[in-house]
Amino acid sequence: SAGDDLTIKLWDVASRQEAATITRPNSTFLSVAFSPDGNTLASGSFDRTIELWDVGLVEQPVTLRGHTSIVRSVAFSPDGGTLASGGAANTVSLWDTTTRQEMATLARHTFGVFPVAFSPDGSTLASGSADSTIKLWDVASRHEIATLRGHAFTVFSVAFSPDGATLASGSADDTVKLW
């Protein structure tokens, strides 16, 4: 979990006890996501960085730089090879988790990006925005597949169904839509 108190807390689910706390004195963490193997935690921050934390050694993160504004969301691809991040600068970035280099910047939203989510097969990425749209991206070609319109305000969450056939979205317009 990440909060406004400048910390990330790792929790032991079985005991419901805090297992570790990560603290950064100068930046609020806005999002966290585990890699599929559970060994790496990615965090997006107000300071425009992404940090990759080895869950066993939480003191020494690898910092990814490239966003020009706050990083609101992070998500790993199902195979763990790609990390997507959404930012307030209207963009989605794709990162190679092995080389730790930015592979692409997807820039078709007209306002800041909030959520990002990969389809279960990793071929499609969904991004929601303050422009009230959801964009679907082909991960391999890095091209926009579709723009989903129907929300009246910011899209704060997106999630694919386990079979990848349906996308759910939640918005500040007090609606959840199934696509």
Side-chain angles (χ1 to χ4, degrees), residues 108-115 126-137 144 146-158 167 169-171 179:
R108 302 276 303 181
H109 283 289
T110 56
F111 289 101
V113 174
F114 281 84
S127 59
S129 172
D131 65 12
S132 306
T133 69
I134 300 156
K135 296 212 180 274
L136 299 179
W137 307 90
E144 181 183 338
T147 298
L148 306 178
R149 301 179 195 283
H151 285 295
F153 298 113
T154 300
V155 177
F156 283 119
S157 61
V158 291
L167 179 73
S169 61
S171 169
W179 307 87

Side-chain angles (χ1 to χ4, degrees), residues 67-68 85-93 105-109 111-113:
H67 277 277
T68 59
S85 56
N90 313 348
T91 62
V92 175
S93 293
T105 300
L106 311 177
R108 302 276 303 181
H109 283 289
F111 289 101
V113 174

Side-chain angles (χ1 to χ4, degrees), residues 12-158:
D12 180 304
V13 176
S15 69
R16 298 183 181 171
Q17 298 295 313
E18 184 180 322
T21 299
I22 298 168
T23 304
R24 277 286 181 253
N26 299 320
S27 186
T28 300
F29 296 106
L30 299 173
S31 60
V32 291
F34 279 103
S35 62
D37 66 8
N39 292 326
T40 303
L41 180 73
S43 62
S45 298
F46 198 81
D47 69 0
R48 304 179 312 230
T49 65
I50 298 163
E51 291 180 303
L52 301 177
W53 306 83
D54 179 322
V55 174
L57 304 167
V58 295
E59 297 86 20
Q60 300 296 324
V62 173
T63 302
L64 307 180
R65 297 185 192 322
H67 277 277
T68 59
S69 190
I70 64 175
V71 181
R72 290 185 174 133
S73 58
V74 289
F76 282 94
S77 62
D79 68 2
T82 303
L83 179 74
S85 56
N90 313 348
T91 62
V92 175
S93 293
L94 298 177
W95 305 84
D96 182 305
T97 60
T98 302
T99 65
R100 309 232 161 85
Q101 297 297 309
E102 188 173 12
M103 300 183 304
T105 300
L106 311 177
R108 302 276 303 181
H109 283 289
T110 56
F111 289 101
V113 174
F114 281 84
V116 292
F118 282 94
S119 62
D121 67 3
S123 67
T124 304
L125 179 73
S127 59
S129 172
D131 65 12
S132 306
T133 69
I134 300 156
K135 296 212 180 274
L136 299 179
W137 307 90
D138 179 277
V139 175
S141 70
R142 300 179 181 121
H143 287 101
E144 181 183 338
I145 300 168
T147 298
L148 306 178
R149 301 179 195 283
H151 285 295
F153 298 113
T154 300
V155 177
F156 283 119
S157 61
V158 291

